[in-house]
Amino acid sequence: MSATPSCLPTAPELPSGPVDIRLVVTDMDGTLLDSTGGIPGGLWPLLTELRRRGVLFSPASGRQYATLARQFAEAADGMVFVAENGTYVVRDGVELSSDPLDAAVAARIVGTTRRLAADGVDVGAVLCGKKSAYVERSDEAFVAEASKYYTLLRTVEDLTTVDDQFLKVALYDFGPVERTTAHALAPFTSTHQVVVSGEHWVDVMNPTANKGAALRMLQRELGITPAQTVVFGDYLNDLEMLDAADWSFAMTNAHPDVLRRARYMAPSNTELGVLRTIARLLHLPTS
């Protein structure tokens, strides 16, 4: 979802000189990934330069850890992955933090999904565990959508019988998720995080779980301040993460609420906004 040009907030100008940056955190879909859904080729030499300068690069996504690790396999050493919307943070295969969801709550969300489907909503649930993600809806169209974000994905007969430690439940609605499915999850909003993470996705997590909480934990562990942190995002699951960085950027293609929350704006993901902005902040050459 994008704001019209007349609705875009006025963003301050970036400083003319380089700034002291130690951590760069970026969302994936609609932010870092290009129009084909791939990682821009220019990121790889940029990552080499960031390492040389002692700047840590961290993908932060609703995607599964295994999916992120596969996407960044050629540069994953030492990289911190903020996966599953902040509920699971991993570096070099070692868990740094997690915020597991109670199995009984997960079962209630699954029940809500089943009732929506019985009422004609084209929706399905992905139960996101540490060992794998799980679905009980097995049609090709739904599995294809879930597989984009969950490399480890198992089809089971009954999601409520899965034995794993759960991080969140993600619901995929083939229609606009804010119109139907998100409203049906309203009973959970008083006790849990219900966050729309894309046009068709909504996630339910613990109330303490979000990308911002994970980022603040990481800053404390590494001794990095918000003033040394750059964050890029485009959707509602990025809001708390933007609050954790002085250098918070909304992509110009971002949700209007994200555009209002961020301090700065970056060119859209289709214009390689993340790469161009990092290069500008650190005074790197651009091709």
Side-chain angles (χ1 to χ4, degrees):
M1 182 184 299
S2 300
T4 60
S6 62
C7 295
L8 292 175
T10 301
E13 291 293 324
L14 294 180
S16 58
V19 295
D20 177 25
I21 299 300
R22 292 289 176 263
L23 175 62
V24 175
V25 184
T26 181
D27 174 55
M28 295 287 285
D29 298 274
T31 302
L32 174 65
L33 302 185
D34 61 24
S35 58
T36 68
I39 294 176
L43 178 67
W44 307 115
L46 177 59
L47 290 180
T48 299
E49 179 61 20
L50 291 180
R51 285 178 185 270
R52 189 186 72 80
R53 293 178 177 229
V55 180
L56 179 65
F57 182 87
S58 177
S61 174
R63 292 175 179 236
Q64 183 184 54
Y65 163 63
T67 302
L68 294 173
R70 182 190 65 181
Q71 289 179 287
F72 289 92
E74 63 183 87
D77 289 349
M79 188 176 287
V80 175
F81 295 98
V82 179
E84 305 280 14
N85 275 333
T87 61
Y88 197 39
V89 181
V90 181
R91 187 176 197 179
D92 294 330
V94 178
E95 177 183 318
L96 300 184
S97 68
S98 63
D99 198 341
L101 184 68
D102 185 86
V105 174
R108 287 173 49 211
I109 301 165
V110 169
T112 298
T113 310
R114 290 170 176 171
R115 288 190 293 274
L116 281 168
D119 289 338
V121 179
D122 197 359
V123 65
V126 181
L127 185 57
C128 306
K130 288 187 178 181
K131 293 184 289 188
S132 179
Y134 309 87
V135 295
E136 59 186 21
R137 178 171 170 173
S138 59
D139 58 286
E140 184 177 349
F142 178 76
V143 172
E145 292 297 332
S147 297
K148 294 177 183 178
Y149 307 96
Y150 300 94
T151 296
L152 300 178
L153 185 68
R154 301 179 191 172
T155 303
V156 298
E157 290 293 326
D158 182 354
L159 286 175
T160 64
T161 64
V162 171
D163 181 19
D164 200 344
Q165 194 169 19
F166 308 124
L167 300 164
K168 63 182 175 68
V169 183
L171 279 64
Y172 183 86
D173 187 332
F174 282 88
V177 74
E178 289 186 272
R179 293 184 184 175
T180 305
T181 299
H183 290 296
L185 295 171
F188 294 94
T189 58
S190 62
T191 56
H192 290 78
Q193 283 259 33
V194 178
V195 60
V196 175
S197 55
E199 184 180 359
H200 301 284
W201 286 99
V202 58
D203 294 345
V204 184
M205 307 171 291
N206 280 338
T208 51
N210 57 67
K211 292 182 184 180
L215 174 52
R216 292 183 191 280
M217 177 281 301
L218 185 59
Q219 289 168 328
R220 289 192 300 270
E221 290 294 316
L222 299 177
I224 294 173
T225 68
Q228 296 171 315
T229 305
V230 181
V231 165
F232 298 91
D234 79 306
Y235 226 82
L236 299 176
N237 58 328
D238 299 320
L239 290 174
E240 293 88 355
M241 182 170 70
L242 295 172
D243 294 341
D246 287 5
W247 301 98
S248 59
F249 288 84
M251 317 309 289
T252 56
N253 54 288
H255 188 287
D257 290 350
V258 177
L259 288 165
R260 285 188 286 267
R261 190 82 150 251
R263 296 187 179 190
Y264 301 92
M265 280 189 289
S268 71
N269 65 309
T270 60
E271 299 173 293
L272 306 180
V274 171
L275 276 61
R276 289 169 57 189
T277 303
I278 294 172
R280 184 175 173 187
L281 284 171
L282 298 180
H283 279 220
L284 302 176
T286 55
S287 56

